[in-house]
Amino acid sequence: MALPLSFEFFPPKTPEGTEKLRAVRQQLYVQKPEFCSVTYGAGGSTHQGTFDTVGEILAEGVSAASHFSCIGATKASVREQLATLKAMGVKRLVALRGDLPSGYGIGGEFHHASDLVAFIREETGRDFHIEVAAYPEIHPQAKSPEADLQAYVTKIKAGADSAITQYFYNSDAYFRFVDDAHKLGATAPVVPGIMPIGSSTQLMRFSDACGAEIPRWIRLRLQGYGDDIASIKAFGLDVVTDLCDQLRSAGVPALHFYTMNQSAATLEIVKRLQLG
Ligand code: FAD
């Protein structure tokens, strides 16, 4: 049976970026994604761009998930945005706490993603399929691994339907996370988030910020390639295809690709996995 795929984009900031993303989406649609999702700047900074991109995806006949972060938001503003998304025909949300850009105060009426999940359910019943974030390698601000796992379980019990993980290159962390969550009664599907490797410096920067571990052997191999982009890409495709293959063999429910608004690496991985 085919493994369901989903693709994540960020809202482009320029007209050129918007045009490029339209072309990228058409290339990726050939793989018949279950849905495409669009990220949301915490503090609401990109919400118009998010909603515009989500609207384009829906108009292209593809199911779209809007990411939705709640840090710094009020109940009234969340209520209003939920009504907008519902009127647009959005049926799927990725409900997040988000990270406030520096310079913002704490404020707001939501403290954790679980507060947002509970609020969405209270306000809109079953109108939306709700995804939440999961961190097999532990969220960087977690008080402890146990507290982080419990926070995940709380999000699922607040009404989330499924989860997408932070990206990882160590599948053991994912399998352990899924087992531990199951033991605590959180049995919702946990979809691995897959980050293709296209640039060594970008990957290191992201990973340091979000707490994803780059295993030593991958880090050293990438560093060893220096500016040789072709070798970085070739190595990255091998590593990420092997990871996906391992996950597929273990029966994961789907794969979610962080496309970074590019199609080539994702398409090549899917082709190598013979999913397309
Ligand atoms: P939470 O689940 O609220 O967890 C945040 C921290 O608080 C964790 O350390 C957790 O252990 C702790 N915590 C949670 N609940 C409690 C509690 N009750 N008591 C004590 N501690 C608690 N960011 C964006 O800005 N926009 C996006 O579109 C976006 N999309 C993402 C998509 C995915 C699939 C993933 C994995 C991440 C995404 N992020 C996005 C990043 C995310 O916003 C950050 O990782 C953020 O720091 C945490 O958000 P969360 O929803 O996981 O928060």
Side-chain angles (χ1 to χ4, degrees):
M1 205 180 73
L3 187 60
L5 301 175
S6 52
F7 301 129
E8 179 171 316
F9 307 113
F10 57 83
K13 290 206 176 75
T14 61
E16 297 73 33
T18 302
E19 273 312 313
K20 192 183 150 233
L21 180 57
R22 286 183 184 133
V24 162
R25 286 200 303 268
Q26 292 305 324
Q27 287 151 7
L28 288 167
Y29 288 166
V30 172
Q31 300 303 331
K32 303 199 170 26
E34 191 187 13
F35 66 94
C36 290
S37 80
V38 185
T39 63
Y40 181 104
S45 54
T46 69
H47 95 256
Q48 195 53 51
T50 303
F51 290 8
D52 290 348
T53 308
V54 164
E56 286 198 24
I57 294 169
L58 290 173
E60 289 158 352
V62 173
S63 172
S66 182
H67 292 217
F68 199 114
S69 69
C70 62
I71 190 113
T74 61
K75 290 185 177 176
S77 69
V78 169
R79 189 175 288 124
E80 196 184 311
Q81 291 187 33
L82 289 173
T84 304
L85 289 167
K86 198 172 153 186
M88 287 167 65
V90 173
K91 301 242 174 335
R92 211 172 181 122
L93 299 174
V94 183
L96 303 147
R97 184 198 71 177
D99 292 308
L100 273 183
S102 55
Y104 279 68
I106 300 286
E109 294 183 85
F110 299 87
H111 300 290
H112 306 293
S114 53
D115 302 335
L116 178 63
V117 173
F119 184 74
I120 296 171
R121 283 286 176 245
E122 247 170 66
E123 293 278 316
T124 64
R126 297 288 319 168
D127 288 349
F128 295 103
H129 175 108
I130 304 179
E131 309 261 3
V132 288
Y135 301 88
E137 295 180 339
I138 327 287
H139 185 267
Q141 293 157 0
K143 288 201 186 86
S144 67
E146 294 74 20
D148 205 35
L149 181 66
Q150 193 50 58
Y152 170 75
V153 172
T154 304
K155 290 196 276 200
I156 297 295
K157 295 196 171 167
D161 298 291
S162 49
I164 301 172
T165 72
Q166 184 56 276
Y167 65 87
F168 56 87
Y169 297 103
N170 170 8
S171 56
D172 287 347
Y174 168 83
F175 296 127
R176 169 72 58 178
F177 177 86
V178 173
D179 278 357
D180 289 350
H182 269 241
K183 282 181 200 144
L184 295 178
T187 54
V190 184
V191 175
I194 305 295
M195 178 70 93
I197 300 175
S199 145
S200 169
T201 42
Q202 191 187 47
L203 184 70
M204 306 290 175
R205 204 177 57 237
F206 277 169
S207 305
D208 286 347
C210 71
E213 190 192 42
I214 309 296
R216 176 184 151 83
W217 67 277
I218 296 182
R219 189 179 280 269
L220 290 178
R221 289 283 296 266
L222 288 173
Q223 283 166 352
Y225 293 125
D227 294 333
D228 178 358
I229 303 291
S231 295
I232 292 172
K233 287 190 172 168
F235 173 70
L237 286 171
D238 287 348
V239 168
V240 178
T241 306
D242 284 352
L243 172 69
C244 292
D245 198 24
Q246 213 185 347
L247 293 166
R248 173 177 56 179
S249 303
V252 296
L255 294 175
H256 178 82
F257 282 87
Y258 294 105
T259 70
M260 306 303 290
N261 291 8
Q262 313 271 341
S263 62
T266 299
L267 285 174
E268 179 61 23
I269 294 164
V270 170
K271 187 175 128 203
R272 290 187 186 190
L273 290 167
Q274 295 181 319
L275 291 174

